[in-house]
Amino acid sequence: MRHRGGRGDRSPLGTWFWDIDRMLLLLTMFLIAIGLIAVAAASPATAARYSGEHHKLAPLHYFWRQLLWVAVSMPVLFGVSMMPVVLVRRLALIGAALLIACLALTPFIGVEHNGARRWIGLIVAEFQPSEFLKPVFIVTVAWLLSLKARDPELPTVLITGGMTAAVAVMLMLQPDFGQTIIFCSVWMALLMIAGTPMRVMAGLAALAPAGLIAAYFFYGTARARIDAFLFPGVEGEGASDHFQTDAAHRTITSGGWTGTGPGGGSAKFGLPEAHTDYIFSVIGEEFGLIACSIIAIVFLAIVVRVFVKLLDEQDEFKLLAASGLAVQFGAQALVSMAVNTGLAPSKGMTMPFISYGGSSMIALSIGMGMLLALTRRNPFLTRSPYVVRWGSE
């Protein structure tokens, strides 16, 4: 009992605590806390927007719901982070198969919101298959790419490319152009980290502009958003996207460096989705651009922390899976911030752990739990004089 809570604690909880990346966990909890504050700030604007003559929402309606989702997500995050790597891989493979099937059904049986059919209705809630698919798909692709080390003849680029293309087509049918970009970008990043030959990477990079041009001419959603971004005076479907980016830019800059103070913002009431897609703008208005900069630094610190942790990783699967999850996390945050600041077209992209949403919060908790499990290691193991590192001099 004298070792209980110390480094000598060999209980499952004690082992987990000492082997986990506690700094990565702390940064994650910090983002979740910021998210609750941000949703509380954005909730009155969204509640006013969705209240009607016969249906009035309480000002903090979305905050209390987000608090419930956080309470559900925390056990998920800690539970997944305690899993051994083998179980994480199995969970990913099974989850990817089931969620790809759900994604294929979503355009036909899904619930429509704001012109997009991305959610499947359950008895008491709705869930977004693409959000849950991201972490398990990344781990699955990482596992397939890691098999190349065992069998050099295995066509992993074609296999994973076919899977990514299939997912991209299903996402565009919803439509969800933003998530399509995230899936394709992470796949390209994983190929690069896996050491794919430069001629293959150059060929894929050359296809990217061709894909964007094809999307512009044959995919109406992409064309409308690109037109609205490049040509501000565009009419029709793209006009609403331009209105959103204008409102977001006006909101994020109205608070100056220090903000108007909690509850003091007024521009947020003109935002279409203040609690989800444009919550970063609400933070800018009420807490200032300094707060926005701190949040951006926290996101960067999480990604850098993961890659520094992986510098001496020898396991190919763990290296690829953790890298892919970190890239996805950082890319999603970057796209969300770019949309809020007017540097990218509107994409309907939530900010990780900060935006409101049950599907997003639980899916991100699964992904971060996997990331914590994959980077978990005993820091004293390599320092032991009884452990021999063969091949070292």
Side-chain angles (χ1 to χ4, degrees), residues 41-170:
S43 182
T46 306
R49 186 178 185 86
Y50 288 107
S51 293
E53 183 179 353
H54 305 290
H55 179 66
K56 187 173 179 61
L57 297 175
L60 292 179
H61 171 79
Y62 292 97
F63 167 74
W64 294 117
R65 287 177 65 91
Q66 184 72 351
L67 194 61
L68 174 62
W69 290 124
V70 169
V72 172
S73 301
M74 288 301 93
V76 173
L77 190 153
F78 289 116
V80 174
S81 70
M82 293 179 182
M83 290 182 177
V85 174
V86 174
L87 190 55
V88 169
R89 184 171 65 242
R90 291 174 181 172
L91 173 66
L93 294 173
I94 296 172
L98 293 175
L99 288 166
I100 287 175
C102 292
L103 193 66
L105 295 174
T106 302
F108 307 102
I109 66 171
V111 179
E112 184 174 337
H113 293 291
N114 298 325
R117 198 178 294 271
R118 305 171 185 171
W119 298 264
I120 292 179
L122 300 177
I123 297 175
V124 296
E126 298 174 356
F127 87 102
Q128 190 174 351
S130 60
E131 288 287 353
F132 290 93
L133 179 61
K134 277 186 291 189
V136 296
F137 181 83
I138 290 168
V139 175
T140 300
V141 170
W143 173 70
L144 289 170
L145 291 175
S146 69
L147 296 178
K148 188 79 171 180
R150 301 180 186 178
D151 185 2
E153 300 301 320
L154 192 65
T156 53
V157 175
L158 290 177
I159 295 172
T160 56
M163 291 173 56
T164 306
V167 169
V169 169
M170 288 185 279

Side-chain angles (χ1 to χ4, degrees), residues 180-239:
T180 304
I181 292 176
I182 293 295
F183 274 88
C184 294
S185 299
V186 174
W187 174 63
M188 290 282 289
L190 282 174
L191 290 182
M192 188 178 301
I193 297 170
T196 303
M198 286 304 300
R199 64 179 184 279
V200 177
M201 295 303 302
L204 292 173
L207 289 176
L212 287 175
I213 293 172
Y216 181 83
F217 285 105
F218 301 106
Y219 186 49
T221 300
R223 180 171 60 253
R225 292 186 173 179
I226 292 172
D227 282 346
F229 181 70
L230 296 178
F231 313 109
V234 69
E235 299 295 333
E237 183 183 353

Side-chain angles (χ1 to χ4, degrees), residues 250-274:
R250 184 168 56 250
T251 303
I252 198 172
T253 55
S254 63
W257 287 104
T258 57
T260 60
S266 58
K268 65 184 181 182
F269 287 91
L271 284 173
E273 297 292 338

